Amino acid sequence: MSSQALLEMRGITKRFGPVVALDGVDFKVGRGEVVGLVGDNGAGKSTLAKIIVGYHQPDSGEMYFEGRRARFKSPAEARRAGIEIVYQDMALVPYLSVYRNLFLNRELTRRIGPFKVLDRARMKSLTAKLLEEIGIKRRDPDIQVGVLSGGERQSIAIARAVYFGAKLVILDEPTSALSIKESEKVLEYVSHLKSRGISSILISHNIYHVYSVADRIVVLDRGRKVMDVERKLVDPEDIIDVIAHRKEPEEVLEGIGRK
């Protein structure tokens, strides 16, 4: 395994009946690296992410995390190892407060005699600090999540993953339903993850969003990895042309060699 890799996958294959969703895919993420994972519908992006977090099991191949062979049996097991996934719907409960969402299923407690009760004061205090850190103006931890903007909700979902010690955060289409301004805020937060040494995988159809924050871009096409390139070596249009089959990956890579 590469000494710099936080996550490394080798020869990952996954079939759903006669459909080959992933065909011998090699994939890695360095420590503190942002990897853009892109491709058209059906390319295998979400399947690869779900294998990483244990939602699916590969039919063949190996995965290593922090230098140790890993095959997580569930997302909960992956979370305990330090891998979090933030889905497009964010998995937040709109009618609950921000602090209840942040600590959902991980509530802090304190003892009163023989009983354990929720430590609401501590959860609210920690939530207020977190809201300030991620730049949300409405910093009342009691405010309902449902009244926040899409960008604020997405930032809270990402922050929740980070707060609980994630070493790798997978973001599945985090800007797909957001305005331009809200998308910029979420992408700023992805850059913030990198500044804290946290690795991330950004899955998106918006190549320009990926290009703005990624260190490296991996392109999947019908279950196969067709390109793995440093972002600074290519233009967004090159990636789009490969995904749309207007250019062969080899053509783009040859162009890099001639620069």
Side-chain angles (χ1 to χ4, degrees):
M1 175 175 171
S2 171
S3 60
Q4 297 301 312
L6 175 68
L7 171 77
E8 186 165 352
M9 308 174 81
R10 301 175 183 168
I12 298 297
T13 296
K14 179 64 180 178
R15 298 178 179 85
F16 295 100
V19 177
V20 181
L22 294 170
D23 186 5
V25 172
D26 295 336
F27 181 78
K28 67 179 179 179
V29 182
R31 297 177 186 275
E33 184 182 32
V34 180
V35 177
L37 182 59
V38 301
D40 212 343
N41 290 335
K45 306 182 300 295
S46 292
T47 301
L48 187 65
K50 288 177 179 178
I51 287 175
I52 294 171
V53 299
Y55 186 85
H56 291 318
Q57 298 299 313
D59 296 319
S60 62
E62 299 177 342
M63 183 170 79
Y64 297 84
F65 188 68
E66 293 191 301
R68 295 183 293 273
R69 188 167 181 177
R71 181 174 288 199
F72 303 116
K73 297 178 182 178
S74 69
E77 189 174 323
R79 186 177 299 120
R80 287 193 292 271
I83 302 175
E84 290 274 1
I85 186 166
V86 179
Y87 291 106
Q88 183 177 338
D89 59 11
M90 297 169 278
L92 298 179
V93 183
Y95 59 83
L96 289 182
S97 66
V98 173
Y99 89 88
R100 289 300 304 273
N101 269 280
L102 181 65
F103 290 96
L104 192 63
N105 296 322
R106 295 171 171 177
E107 289 81 3
L108 302 181
T109 59
R110 58 189 177 91
R111 283 196 173 276
I112 298 180
F115 304 105
K116 277 187 176 181
V117 298
L118 293 179
D119 193 342
R120 298 179 188 274
R122 188 177 172 213
M123 287 189 287
K124 289 181 183 182
S125 175
L126 291 171
T127 299
K129 290 179 181 177
L130 182 65
L131 294 179
E132 182 177 3
E133 180 182 329
I134 64 180
I136 293 180
K137 294 179 181 178
R138 288 173 284 187
R139 295 171 184 166
D140 180 0
D142 282 309
I143 196 170
Q144 285 191 354
V145 160
V147 306
L148 299 176
S149 71
E152 289 173 331
R153 291 197 300 270
Q154 190 64 263
S155 293
I156 287 171
I158 299 169
R160 179 174 64 183
V162 174
Y163 177 81
F164 287 100
K167 301 166 185 174
L168 172 64
V169 178
I170 303 170
L171 305 162
D172 192 357
E173 298 287 352
T175 62
S176 63
L178 303 184
S179 68
I180 293 175
K181 188 174 181 180
E182 289 176 332
S183 296
E184 288 176 348
K185 188 67 180 176
V186 171
L187 294 171
E188 284 177 13
Y189 201 66
V190 174
S191 297
H192 178 63
L193 298 182
K194 178 178 173 63
S195 71
R196 295 180 56 176
I198 298 169
S199 303
S200 57
I201 300 169
L202 176 58
I203 301 171
S204 180
H205 281 89
N206 192 315
I207 305 305
Y208 294 98
H209 286 174
V210 172
Y211 193 84
S212 69
V213 295
D215 298 302
R216 188 161 47 84
I217 297 176
V218 174
V219 182
L220 297 183
D221 182 22
R222 290 167 288 190
R224 303 191 62 151
K225 184 175 77 172
V226 297
M227 182 174 285
D228 186 340
V229 63
E230 290 183 47
R231 184 263 303 166
K232 64 184 180 182
L233 298 178
V234 292
D235 296 323
E237 291 75 17
D238 292 327
I239 301 298
I240 293 170
D241 285 343
V242 169
I243 293 172
H245 299 149
R246 289 192 290 266
K247 286 184 180 178
E248 294 296 325
E250 295 78 12
E251 183 181 351
V252 173
L253 296 175
E254 287 174 4
I256 293 172
R258 289 193 297 267
K259 289 180 180 179

